[in-house]
């Protein structure tokens, strides 16, 4: 007995451990899926993430409309549900009685058929006896036979009526059960919609948090890069008080002009950026294979209607740990790790042009301040996204105007 108890305990312990392991594996899988989704959202372009948010808000509205409709349908069904359940109980009871009556009728029909058959046999057997008693008996039996046949007809008619009633009530029961099932189905549908709504709200909240951080990070990084360029005297420092007032007045006019769209401006880069077109010959791109993740110029985000001026472009390499090349001949004037922009290289080129490479994962060992590099020289590596900026004598240039794209 003890051995059996020990075996049972061991089995239960092993089963419990297996179940716990399965739960842990499932939890880890769910956590991994959530991490993958979060990583995908973090790596998306700003405008793609904005589209996700817009689509998420539309989905949330559609779910809310579906929930309202489903609740209305449930209310309408609930109005009949109580009465339907009572009617169903009554019909089931009636059907039970009818089935009992039907069974009794069947038994009576069988009895009458048996008696009728017996009388027919007696009449056939007594046909040769022509005594008075036999004639009387035959007459009585004939009348009794006719009575039994009439009873049989009535019984058959009652049986048919009972069967029809059972069928009719069974159809009603089926219809009522269908309505009750529909009510339950709608309740389950509502639960599923509410669960989807919770998920959609959580996803939308996550995407908005990522998006807001990206917007803020974009401005902070841009300000940091501008500060570095000002310190190196590559671009002029921010305007003096008189220029600042003029810029503020200009900003007010622009804000008034865009009032209908309720467009706000983030940071100072929009007011202080001076832009000119690139007029030189096209040159090579800093990456061999890439897509443009963020374009140069004005960006009005569709979520908060904030207007940002992008002074750089972000190029996403199609290969990890990609080599970054100098797009022009020039001299390195800045090459070091920064707090916000990872590793940054700034190269002074001809005609007052400066090319800026930020968010590098590595700087080539040969790249030092004062070193001259040729076009195409490998200056470092980037993990995935390269921030690329071009200035010329206090003006910003769209880098995509300078580089040749495949």
């Amino acid at each position: 007995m003890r051995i059996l108890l020990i075996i049972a305990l061991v089995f239960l312990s092993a089963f419990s451990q297996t179940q716990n392991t399965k739960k842990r594996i499932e939890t880890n899988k769910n956590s991994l899926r959530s991490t993958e989704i979060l990583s995908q959202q973090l790596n998306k372009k700003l405008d793609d993430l904005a589209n996700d948010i817009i689509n998420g808000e539309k989905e949330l509205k559609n779910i809310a409309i579906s929930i309202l409709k489903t609740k209305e349908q449930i209310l309408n069904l609930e109005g009949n549900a109580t009465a339907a359940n009572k009617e169903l109980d009554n019909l089931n009871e009636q059907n039970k009685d009818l089935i009992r009556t039907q069974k009794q009728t069947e038994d009576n029909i069988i009895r009458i058929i048996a008696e009728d058959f017996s009388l027919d046999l007696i009449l056939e057997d007594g046909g040769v006896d022509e005594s008075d008693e036999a004639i009387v008996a035959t007459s009585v039996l004939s009348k009794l036979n006719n009575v039994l046949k009439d009873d049989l007809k009535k019984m058959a008619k009652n049986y048919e009526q009972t069967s029809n009633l059972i069928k009719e009530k069974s159809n009603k029961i089926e219809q009522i059960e269908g309505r009750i099932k529909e009510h339950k189905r709608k309740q389950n549908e509502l639960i599923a919609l509410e669960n989807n709504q919770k998920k959609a709200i959580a996803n939308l909240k996550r995407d908005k948090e990522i998006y807001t951080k990206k917007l803020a990070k974009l401005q902070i990084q841009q300000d940091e890069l501008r500060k570095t360029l000002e310190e190196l005297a590559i671009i002029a420092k921010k305007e003096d008080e008189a220029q600042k007032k003029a810029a503020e007045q200009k900003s007010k006019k622009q804000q008034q002009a865009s009032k209908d769209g309720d467009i706000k401006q983030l940071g100072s880069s929009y007011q202080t950026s001076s832009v000119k077109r690139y007029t030189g010959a096209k040159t090579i791109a800093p990456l061999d294979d890439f897509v443009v993740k963020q374009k140069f110029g004005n960006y009005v985000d569709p979520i908060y209607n904030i207007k940002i001026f992008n002074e750089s472009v972000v190029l996403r390499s199609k290969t990890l740990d990609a080599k970054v090349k100098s797009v022009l001949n020039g001299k390195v004037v800045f090459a070091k790790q920064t707090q916000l922009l990872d590793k940054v290289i700034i190269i002074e080129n001809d005609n007052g042009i400066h090319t800026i490479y930020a968010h590098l994962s590595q700087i080539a060992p040969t790249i030092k301040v004062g070193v001259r590099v040729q076009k195409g020289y490998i200056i470092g590596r980037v993990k995935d996204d390269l921030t690329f900026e071009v200035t010329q004598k206090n003006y910003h240039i769209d880098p995509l105007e300078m580089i040749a794209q495949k």
Side-chain angles (χ1 to χ4, degrees), residues 60 152 161-162 193-194 214 287 295 297 327 337 362 369 380:
L60 206 53
L152 182 61
Q161 288 173 348
T162 304
L193 282 168
E194 286 173 341
K214 276 180 178 281
L287 296 169
K295 291 183 179 179
V327 300
Q337 175 75 39
Q362 293 177 40
V369 173

Side-chain angles (χ1 to χ4, degrees), residues 5-54:
L5 185 61
I6 290 166
I7 291 169
L9 288 171
V10 169
F11 176 77
L12 287 172
S13 175
F15 178 76
S16 177
Q17 286 177 1
T18 303
Q19 292 299 107
N20 290 335
T21 303
K22 284 181 179 177
K23 284 179 183 177
R24 281 198 300 272
I25 290 169
E26 191 60 34
T27 302
N28 290 338
K29 281 182 180 177
N30 292 335
S31 177
L32 187 60
R33 279 195 291 269
S34 298
T35 304
E36 285 174 354
I37 292 168
L38 181 62
S39 177
Q40 287 169 3
Q41 295 304 93
L42 284 168
N43 287 325
K44 279 191 174 179
K45 293 183 190 178
L46 200 62
D47 48 359
D48 286 345
L49 192 55
N51 286 334
D52 284 352
I53 292 169
I54 291 166

